[in-house]
Amino acid sequence: MSAETLRVSLRETRLVTERIVMLLGVPKGAWAAVREAVVADESLGLEGLAFLDGRAPGGWATPEITGEDGPRISVAARGIPAPFAVPALLDLAVATVSEHDAATVTVTDLADAELLRAAEPLGARLGARVRVSGTGGVRVLAATKATAAVPAGSRAAMAGGEHLLDAALHGLTVPAALWWRLYHRSNEALTVDTPLSRNHAGAALLTGGEGLTETDPDYVAEAAS
């Protein structure tokens, strides 16, 4: 680590990543799943955080199944970035494995396709052995049942998987300029600081038997100055 890099905790990485995922227009129910895909990519050395850097809102869509023959499934990603597509593709693969004991999901027209490798460690958390192959915008996600599960209560399980164990213990090394760009942008996801919003975070002001008040003495003093 040097003056040009920072050691960032796994918790802080997840926090900043999820806030930016929110800003990109990802549906609320998918925030955590997309966050974990980006963090997994970062832990694998695939520059998941760089994927977020400067990315404009948009790009979210649902991959479309275009062909199905038992465990062999074809999916059109329609230009969806891989981190956005990982949750749906992984769910599809795991569901197919439960039915056929194996799955081969061929994905076409996938943007940022190299980031689909996040599905490998994330699949292990769902009890599947997942391998990603292919080049360009066409990738093949092959899955079978995992031979062994991550032991419950282990450090790896608490970190979120074997791929995050080192990050949980020692943090992630991130270029400082990249991190601060992401950090400051992530603050845009926070609720605007107002008297009303302060009532929902930390200590709250109470009026005589009337409950919460929207009057904040800090704001009153500032307005009067």
Side-chain angles (χ1 to χ4, degrees), residues 206-211:
L206 299 177
T207 59
E210 298 178 1

Side-chain angles (χ1 to χ4, degrees), residues 14 17-39 51-52 59-63 80-89 91 122 125:
R14 280 176 164 145
T17 296
E18 183 164 330
R19 286 179 179 175
I20 293 180
V21 165
M22 294 165 59
L23 294 174
L24 296 182
V26 173
K28 186 174 182 179
W31 289 348
V34 174
R35 176 200 69 203
E36 288 304 298
V38 173
V39 173
F51 163 78
L52 299 176
W60 178 266
T62 302
I80 303 169
F84 290 1
V86 163
L89 294 175
D91 285 349
L122 295 178
R125 302 199 314 184

Side-chain angles (χ1 to χ4, degrees), residues 3-6 8 13 16 20 38 42 46-55 173-186:
E4 298 180 349
T5 61
L6 295 172
V8 184
T13 303
V16 166
I20 293 180
V38 173
E42 185 68 23
L46 298 176
E47 299 186 348
L49 293 179
F51 163 78
L52 299 176
D53 189 27
R55 179 168 291 273
T173 301
V174 181
L178 169 64
W179 176 257
W180 289 121
R181 285 196 301 272
L182 295 176
Y183 172 80
H184 289 300
R185 186 183 182 190
S186 75

